[in-house]
Amino acid sequence: MREALAGLTVRGRAFIAAGVTAVVCAVLLGQPALTRVGVLVLALPLVTALVLGRSRYRLALVRTVAPPLVAAGQQARVTLSLSNEGRTPSGVLLLEDHVPYVLGTRPRFVLEGIGHGWHRQVAYQVRSDVRGRFEVGPMTVRVSDPFGLVELGRAFHTTSVLTVTPRTVALPPITLGGSESGSGENRPRAFAIGSAEDVTVREYHRGDDLRRVHWPSSARTGELMVRREEQPWHSRATVFIDNRAVAHRGQGIASSLETAVVAAASVAVHLTRRGYAVRLVTAAGEDRSQAWHERGGDPSAAPLLESLAVLHAHEAPRLDTAWLGESGRGGLLVAVLGAVQHHDAPVLRRMLSHQGSALALALDVDAWVGDPGPASTAVLAQQGWRVATLGPHDRLDTRWQELGAVGRSGRRPSPVAQVTP
């Protein structure tokens, strides 16, 4: 009741004031008829508040965000499904969904005729030019009586997540080089004795096709064994992004870090679509929760893009090299680098020695603050990297194509036909 009285609208408070005034005037003037009118006017908002305060609305909300993963600049549709599972009718529902300011203004809806079994769907669009993971919700509901005398607030606690990935640029095919590395059970094995069919089997894993069961090996070992020969062979590639705060300049979406994120995302998508098994490594090291991402049925490299969507500046001044183990040896390395310091040279040399081929996009970070200076191209070329410089006004696809024409010595060879591995 106390909550309901606190929810009296201006109209409800005006009714109470008018009722009290009428009763007082009736007593002073000796008009019994006016007393009855005053009591009626005074009782109407109080009874409404009592009924509304004791009512238990069973409103159910289902929020759907489609698609839950979008690129920056694209729209997503939020659908709200509301239903009244209680038996108490209501006059008007005032809905407001809370969204971060980067997704737009807060949507508001007014719904009427809410009764038992009532169901309604409303939808609105959200759009963000900034990458990140955002929570949509919670929904607040203001319930009003049919007379507009009392208005109570309710809130849902559920939220939905919308992930906005960085923009990507379509990159032209270039000669990448590098060695092929098998993934998982694809590593080459020597046939010491027996037939190849006996060697190329493994234990049965849940979900394997039963048609691949190798019964002779299963009978010999006493456990289900399946054939390996149908497993594909993949080239491996590592996309490294230097996200240290000391290596970048600028603020917000106009910073060099955001350009580095767009470049890393574009390279990851490009390599995935070309059949590479790709992993993402940052200045803090490899995310162990993210395995090598193969194309399969997902040409957009969604897991890699989700990791880049929430990538922030790393405060450590030095690069982590723990990921340079046996699992990272061989294959292709594409590094997107910011400002390179002298103490980074041994790390870059070690990165190069662990990979079959190394390419680098070096950002001219000083150009982001209006002071173009020498980029890290010379240092990287001396280490043996194939490197191209990327500035704030450069086209990424053009620099990527130039990178394919740069030899390992840093010189541009004579034009040759580009071969896609």
Side-chain angles (χ1 to χ4, degrees), residues 42-381:
L42 177 62
L44 184 59
L46 296 179
V47 172
T48 302
L50 177 63
V51 173
L52 200 61
R54 291 182 176 273
S55 300
R56 292 296 180 263
Y57 293 97
R58 298 181 58 188
L59 298 177
L61 169 67
V62 176
R63 181 189 293 103
T64 305
V65 181
L69 184 71
V70 297
Q74 294 181 351
Q75 288 186 341
R77 182 180 179 87
V78 182
T79 303
L80 305 174
S81 297
L82 282 161
S83 59
N84 182 21
E85 300 177 357
R87 297 185 178 277
T88 305
S90 176
V92 178
L93 283 185
L94 307 176
L95 310 179
E96 181 179 5
D97 207 10
H98 293 256
V99 298
Y101 71 94
V102 296
L103 297 181
T105 58
R106 292 181 177 180
R108 295 179 174 89
F109 307 95
V110 178
L111 302 178
E112 299 180 359
I114 295 91
H116 176 62
W118 171 88
H119 180 79
R120 187 73 56 84
Q121 277 192 350
V122 293
Y124 61 93
Q125 303 283 344
V126 292
R127 177 180 178 273
S128 174
D129 292 325
V130 182
R131 63 180 176 89
R133 183 175 289 123
F134 307 102
E135 283 193 356
V136 180
M139 167 75 75
T140 58
V141 181
R142 299 198 66 83
V143 183
S144 177
D145 67 285
F147 303 104
L149 302 176
V150 181
E151 190 176 275
L152 298 181
R154 296 287 188 268
F156 294 94
H157 299 289
T158 58
T159 59
S160 300
V161 177
L162 173 65
T163 303
V164 180
T165 62
R167 289 185 176 90
T168 57
V169 178
L171 301 179
I174 64 173
T175 302
L176 297 173
S179 60
E180 291 186 337
S181 301
S183 60
E185 59 192 62
N186 300 320
R187 294 184 182 278
R189 298 173 182 265
F191 304 128
I193 57 175
S195 65
E197 188 178 45
D198 291 333
V199 177
T200 57
V201 295
R202 60 166 175 80
E203 294 181 358
Y204 172 83
H205 295 160
R206 184 177 181 181
D208 287 337
D209 191 349
L210 292 178
R211 290 175 296 182
R212 293 175 50 203
V213 173
H214 188 254
W215 296 109
S217 299
S218 301
R220 184 172 57 254
T221 60
E223 297 181 358
L224 281 179
M225 307 293 289
V226 295
R227 294 186 297 271
R228 299 175 184 267
E229 67 271 16
E230 296 179 3
Q231 297 296 324
W233 182 268
H234 291 282
S235 297
R236 283 187 169 183
T238 299
V239 177
F240 176 83
I241 177 171
D242 184 3
N243 61 321
R244 295 174 299 170
V246 297
H248 292 279
R249 307 289 185 270
Q251 298 292 331
I253 60 175
S255 65
S256 60
L257 176 59
E258 292 302 315
T259 301
V261 171
V262 171
S266 303
V267 172
V269 172
H270 176 73
L271 295 178
T272 303
R273 290 177 175 173
R274 292 184 62 176
Y276 281 82
V278 184
R279 66 169 174 173
L280 179 68
V281 179
T282 67
E286 181 183 6
D287 185 1
R288 297 298 179 182
S289 63
Q290 293 288 344
W292 292 86
H293 177 73
E294 301 177 5
R295 174 175 180 175
D298 185 8
S300 62
L304 302 177
L305 295 178
E306 286 188 53
S307 298
L308 289 170
V310 295
L311 183 70
H312 299 290
H314 187 52
E315 297 300 330
R318 296 181 179 273
L319 298 173
D320 181 80
T321 58
W323 59 276
L324 290 172
E326 290 297 326
S327 61
R329 186 176 294 276
L332 173 69
L333 171 64
V334 180
V336 182
L337 302 172
V340 176
Q341 307 296 329
H342 293 291
H343 57 74
D344 296 327
V347 178
L348 296 173
R349 189 161 49 248
R350 185 181 174 189
M351 291 168 60
L352 181 64
S353 65
H354 277 69
Q355 305 301 135
S357 179
L359 295 80
L361 288 168
L363 273 68
D364 185 7
V365 296
D366 291 331
W368 265 263
V369 292
D371 185 21
S376 310
T377 308
V379 178
L380 292 168

Side-chain angles (χ1 to χ4, degrees), residues 360-363 377 386-390 399-400 402-403 406 412:
L361 288 168
L363 273 68
T377 308
R386 295 166 58 187
V387 58
T389 305
L390 180 64
R399 294 305 184 190
W400 176 256
E402 291 179 359
L403 183 61
V406 177
R412 299 184 183 277

Side-chain angles (χ1 to χ4, degrees), residues 378-397:
V379 178
L380 292 168
Q382 291 175 0
Q383 300 286 339
W385 290 71
R386 295 166 58 187
V387 58
T389 305
L390 180 64
H393 305 293
D394 294 334
R395 290 175 56 93
L396 178 59
D397 53 351

